[in-house]
């Protein structure tokens, strides 16, 4: 995308770390007419993440020309990639054999080398070998919008893990997980913390369902979840997963039961808007709204959404659970991520 002056944004106005602001984030110098929403749109980042990173009270804050902003990094920038390799064709080799030897598909090999006829290979020909498709158990791609990723936050005097998590709309567990910290106390002045935002990218192996279908994503460390329709996020909600030893099991699942009001004889609870996703012995874990106690007839755990609380399920508020229940179908993909 070009600026109003005709210059390419990837070549001007963006600096890497090592500038006066001691941070791993890129920086951007505000131009006349810029708004946070416009800058976020240009760089493919979330406007609210941009606001939080620069400590603005609102996305509608007035900016001045020359002001320097920190930019979040997108998931695309930080996503690890398998590098392409090269292969020199030897006597007796065919494209099918070369593709099999490297664990890639013949179609991928033809596409990356722009070869129309697989029989035209010749001895000495230099081929590009695309990244190994076996790495994720089959042909895969990333789903999710580009407006997700990470930004780096520099710890300030007086900061604690809990205040950082609260101010940046994340959890202490997410900060520990994404930064490989041993505990909630290991933060110090000027430390660079990686803060995730937006739905996490998923390695999606095809074809489970058409990309136009609905799917549900749960992040255990962030206690958040997202509803996709195709590649578009239509809802983002806080949720609660399993607490203590009854931790929700990460994995790729599909909805295997759909019950308006399921009953748990073990815990003596009604589970409204039940979507079962995997078996635990003779029982089933799933997604549900606020449970109702058989003993009192009242809802429980209403104040715990956004933190681990359940016996292994993913819990939503009743409104959110009812919306998901209406959208869900047997076989709907559910991705539970750490």
């Amino acid at each position: 995308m070009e600026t109003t002056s005709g210059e390419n944004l990837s070549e001007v106005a963006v600096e890497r770390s090592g500038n006066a602001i001691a941070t791993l984030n890129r920086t951007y110098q505000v131009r006349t007419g810029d708004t946070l929403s416009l800058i976020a749109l240009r760089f493919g980042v979330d406007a609210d993440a941009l606001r939080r990173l620069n400590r603005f009270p609102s996305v509608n804050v007035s900016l001045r020309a020359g002001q320097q902003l920190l930019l979040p990094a997108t998931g695309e920038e930080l996503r690890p990639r398998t590098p392409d390799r090269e292969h020199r064709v030897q006597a007796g080799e065919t494209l099918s054999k070369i593709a099999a030897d490297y664990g890639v598909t013949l179609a991928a090999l033809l596409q990356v080398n722009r070869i129309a006829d697989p029989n035209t290979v010749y001895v000495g020909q230099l081929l590009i070998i695309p990244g190994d498709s076996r790495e994720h158990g089959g042909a895969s791609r990333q789903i999710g919008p580009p407006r997700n990723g990470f930004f780096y936050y520099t710890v300030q005097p007086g900061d604690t893990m809990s205040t950082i998590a609260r101010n940046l709309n994340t959890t202490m567990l997410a900060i520990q997980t994404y930064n490989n910290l041993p505990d909630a106390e290991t933060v110090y002045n000027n430390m660079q913390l990686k803060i995730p935002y937006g739905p996490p990218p998923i390695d999606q192996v095809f074809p489970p369902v058409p990309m136009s279908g609905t799917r549900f994503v749960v992040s255990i460390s962030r206690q958040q979840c997202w509803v996709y329709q195709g590649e578009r996020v239509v809802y983002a909600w806080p949720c609660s997963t399993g607490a203590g030893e009854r931790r929700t099991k990460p994995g790729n699942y599909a909805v295997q039961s759909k019950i308006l009001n399921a009953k748990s004889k073990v815990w003596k609870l009604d589970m409204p808007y039940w979507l079962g996703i995997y078996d635990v012995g003779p029982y089933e874990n799933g997604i549900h709204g606020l449970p109702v106690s058989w003993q009192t007839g009242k809802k429980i755990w209403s104040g715990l959404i956004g933190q681990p609380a359940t016996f292994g399920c993913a819990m939503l508020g009743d409104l959110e659970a009812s919306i998901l229940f209406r959208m869900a179908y047997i076989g709907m993909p559910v991705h539970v991520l750490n």
Side-chain angles (χ1 to χ4, degrees), residues 165 169-175 177-178 196 198-200 216-226 236-244 246-250 301 303-317 320 335-338:
N169 193 32
T170 187
T171 64
M172 291 194 293
L173 180 58
I175 294 175
T177 301
Y178 280 85
F216 190 61
V217 178
V218 177
S219 170
I220 295 173
S221 65
R222 295 160 66 182
Q223 296 294 286
Q224 290 179 290
C225 60
W226 298 265
W237 299 317
C239 64
S240 293
T241 59
R246 297 186 178 91
R247 189 171 182 267
T248 306
K249 181 181 175 182
W301 298 343
L304 299 180
I305 295 177
Q307 57 185 293
T310 75
F311 299 125
C313 296
M315 180 179 70
L316 300 167
E320 293 80 5
H335 306 282
V336 180
L337 310 176
N338 277 317

Side-chain angles (χ1 to χ4, degrees), residues 86-256:
E86 293 181 346
H87 176 83
R88 186 79 62 178
V89 178
Q90 306 297 313
E93 287 186 322
T94 65
L95 286 180
S96 295
K97 180 181 183 302
I98 294 169
D101 288 345
Y102 282 95
V104 300
T105 65
L106 177 59
L109 189 62
L110 292 172
Q111 182 179 15
V112 76
N113 289 280
R114 299 185 179 181
I115 298 174
D117 183 354
N119 297 315
T120 57
V121 64
Y122 56 87
V123 174
Q125 183 177 0
L126 187 63
L127 299 176
I128 296 173
I129 308 298
D132 188 350
S133 65
R134 293 177 301 186
E135 186 174 331
H136 302 297
S140 66
R141 60 174 290 184
Q142 297 284 349
I143 66 171
R147 289 172 178 80
N148 62 359
F150 304 86
F151 57 79
Y152 290 91
Y153 173 77
T154 304
V155 178
Q156 305 296 310
D159 275 347
T160 64
M161 183 101 63
S162 61
T163 59
I164 294 170
R166 182 171 62 252
N167 292 338
L168 297 179
N169 193 32
T170 187
T171 64
M172 291 194 293
L173 180 58
I175 294 175
Q176 287 181 245
T177 301
Y178 280 85
N179 293 277
N180 296 317
L181 300 177
D183 52 55
E185 307 300 325
T186 310
V187 291
Y188 51 84
N189 288 350
N190 297 319
M191 183 180 186
Q192 296 280 319
L193 294 177
K194 189 160 64 173
I195 308 295
Y197 68 88
I202 303 166
D203 277 331
Q204 174 72 38
V205 178
F206 287 95
V209 294
M211 279 304 291
S212 60
T214 303
R215 67 198 68 226
F216 190 61
V217 178
V218 177
S219 170
I220 295 173
S221 65
R222 295 160 66 182
Q223 296 294 286
Q224 290 179 290
C225 60
W226 298 265
V227 181
Y228 283 86
Q229 284 191 324
E231 297 192 52
R232 183 170 64 95
V233 174
V234 292
Y235 294 108
W237 299 317
C239 64
S240 293
T241 59
E245 295 180 356
R246 297 186 178 91
R247 189 171 182 267
T248 306
K249 181 181 175 182
N252 295 313
Y253 307 107
V255 171
Q256 59 188 29

Side-chain angles (χ1 to χ4, degrees), residues 26 54 115 121 142 279 285:
R26 298 174 300 163
N54 290 278
I115 298 174
V121 64
Q142 297 284 349
D279 295 327
N285 273 355

Side-chain angles (χ1 to χ4, degrees), residues 55-98:
R55 303 176 187 174
F56 290 128
S58 166
V59 293
N60 298 318
V61 67
S62 296
L63 302 176
R64 66 178 186 278
Q67 187 174 0
Q68 196 174 57
L69 302 182
L70 301 177
L71 292 177
T74 64
E76 192 65 36
E77 289 173 295
L78 296 175
R79 188 172 296 148
R81 300 178 183 277
T82 302
D84 289 334
R85 293 153 291 173
E86 293 181 346
H87 176 83
R88 186 79 62 178
V89 178
Q90 306 297 313
E93 287 186 322
T94 65
L95 286 180
S96 295
K97 180 181 183 302
I98 294 169

